[in-house]
């Protein structure tokens, strides 16, 4: 998650102070990734150091306002246009847990999977209920429509993510069951559902051209 660029995006709409940025960030993302004020001001200090924001006076309550600079706008435009880098994926606690549980003494990895599956399905149901609320708000045209649309997109990403996680857990369980079978029974056991990880990358072959001669 790029707090740095999220704050720049909010500052592009006008000068803001720290706690105001925190509130607007959480409103836009539905508090999915809560921030604390210290985290916001630390990020603002780094943005100022890099010339991406600059102090812009104070409001009537004495809060220090920050404004985005031209360099900050250029950085924000580049961020919008640049695909998210998947070369170094973030650490996933569930993947690490299952990797460590494989072969760990006294650990029933299938019980770990079952427990996580129940939690994942509950989360999916919660996200689906929240999506219905956000969708109703968008369709009704109530105030804060921009934030409602942003929250709806975040929720739908979370729903897709939990659906994929549930399918992956099913795949892990099927794979472990198959690998735990004796060798002579393994060939007769059904394969786990194929996923993108099992599918080899397509290769392109060029068919040789044959010359054709025309008869006069």
């Amino acid at each position: 998650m790029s707090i740095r660029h999220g704050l720049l995006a909010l500052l592009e709409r006008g000068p803001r102070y720290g706690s105001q940025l925190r509130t607007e960030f959480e409103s836009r993302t539905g508090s999915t990734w809560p921030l604390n004020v210290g985290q916001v001001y630390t990020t603002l200090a780094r943005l100022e150091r890099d010339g991406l924001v600059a102090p812009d006076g104070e409001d009537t309550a004495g809060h220090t306002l920050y404004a985005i600079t031209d360099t900050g706008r250029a950085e924000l435009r580049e961020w919008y246009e640049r695909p998210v880098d998947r070369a170094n994926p973030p650490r996933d606690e569930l993947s690490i847990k299952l990797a460590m549980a494989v072969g760990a003494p006294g650990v029933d990895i299938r019980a770990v999977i079952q427990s996580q599956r129940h939690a994942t399905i509950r989360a999916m149901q919660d996200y689906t209920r929240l999506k219905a609320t956000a969708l109703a708000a968008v369709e009704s045209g109530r105030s804060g429509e921009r934030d409602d649309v942003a929250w709806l997109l975040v929720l739908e990403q979370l729903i897709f993510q939990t659906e994929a996680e549930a399918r992956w857990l099913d795949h892990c369980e099927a794979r472990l069951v198959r690998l735990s079978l004796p060798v002579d029974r393994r060939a007769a056991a059904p394969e786990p559902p194929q996923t993108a990880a099992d599918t080899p990358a397509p290769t392109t072959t060029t068919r040789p051209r044959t010359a054709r001669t025309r008869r006069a």
Side-chain angles (χ1 to χ4, degrees):
M1 176 186 60
S2 179
I3 299 172
R4 174 187 179 93
H5 293 99
L7 297 186
L8 286 176
L10 293 173
L11 287 172
E12 191 177 35
R13 300 168 62 182
R16 302 282 195 278
Y17 56 87
S19 58
Q20 186 179 14
L21 286 167
R22 182 193 65 174
T23 300
E24 292 187 13
F25 185 95
E26 293 185 351
S27 176
R28 184 66 64 87
T29 61
S31 298
T32 303
W33 301 285
L35 301 178
N36 59 61
V37 174
Q39 195 174 11
V40 171
Y41 278 107
T42 298
T43 304
L44 285 172
R46 291 172 180 166
L47 290 171
E48 182 181 358
R49 177 200 64 193
D50 296 339
L52 305 180
V53 304
D56 192 42
E58 297 181 349
D59 65 2
T60 55
H63 298 115
T64 300
L65 298 173
Y66 291 86
I68 190 170
T69 64
D70 289 341
T71 304
R73 287 190 178 88
E75 169 74 15
L76 184 61
R77 295 274 80 75
E78 183 183 349
W79 179 61
Y80 281 138
E81 295 168 2
R82 183 175 64 246
V84 175
D85 184 12
R86 300 298 184 192
N88 296 301
R91 294 182 182 89
D92 180 74
E93 183 181 355
L94 177 57
S95 299
I96 295 172
K97 180 188 290 187
L98 293 188
M100 297 300 145
V102 173
V107 176
D108 183 350
I109 189 170
R110 294 185 65 185
V112 175
I113 292 173
Q114 288 283 2
S115 175
Q116 182 62 47
R117 182 186 289 111
H118 292 319
T120 300
I121 291 173
R122 282 197 304 271
M124 192 189 312
Q125 292 168 343
D126 291 340
Y127 294 147
T128 302
R129 283 192 291 269
L130 289 171
K131 175 186 172 181
T133 301
L135 188 59
V138 170
E139 293 176 345
S140 69
R142 294 201 298 265
S143 61
E145 183 176 346
R146 183 190 309 202
D147 286 350
D148 288 332
V149 172
W151 176 216
L152 179 62
L153 295 179
V154 171
L155 281 169
E156 288 175 333
Q157 191 272 344
L158 292 171
I159 290 170
F160 287 135
Q161 190 176 57
T162 50
E163 287 176 344
E165 183 173 284
R167 290 196 302 272
W168 178 67
L169 289 168
D170 290 341
H171 172 82
C172 289
E173 187 171 38
R175 177 74 74 193
L176 290 168
V177 168
R178 178 173 174 78
L179 293 177
S180 67
L181 293 174
V183 175
D184 58 347
R185 294 178 54 196
R186 197 173 295 172
E191 286 284 352
Q194 191 178 59
T195 65
D198 297 314
T199 306
T203 57
T204 303
T205 58
T206 304
R207 296 178 59 184
R209 296 183 178 181
T210 57
R212 296 183 179 180
T213 58
R214 295 182 179 179
R215 294 182 179 178

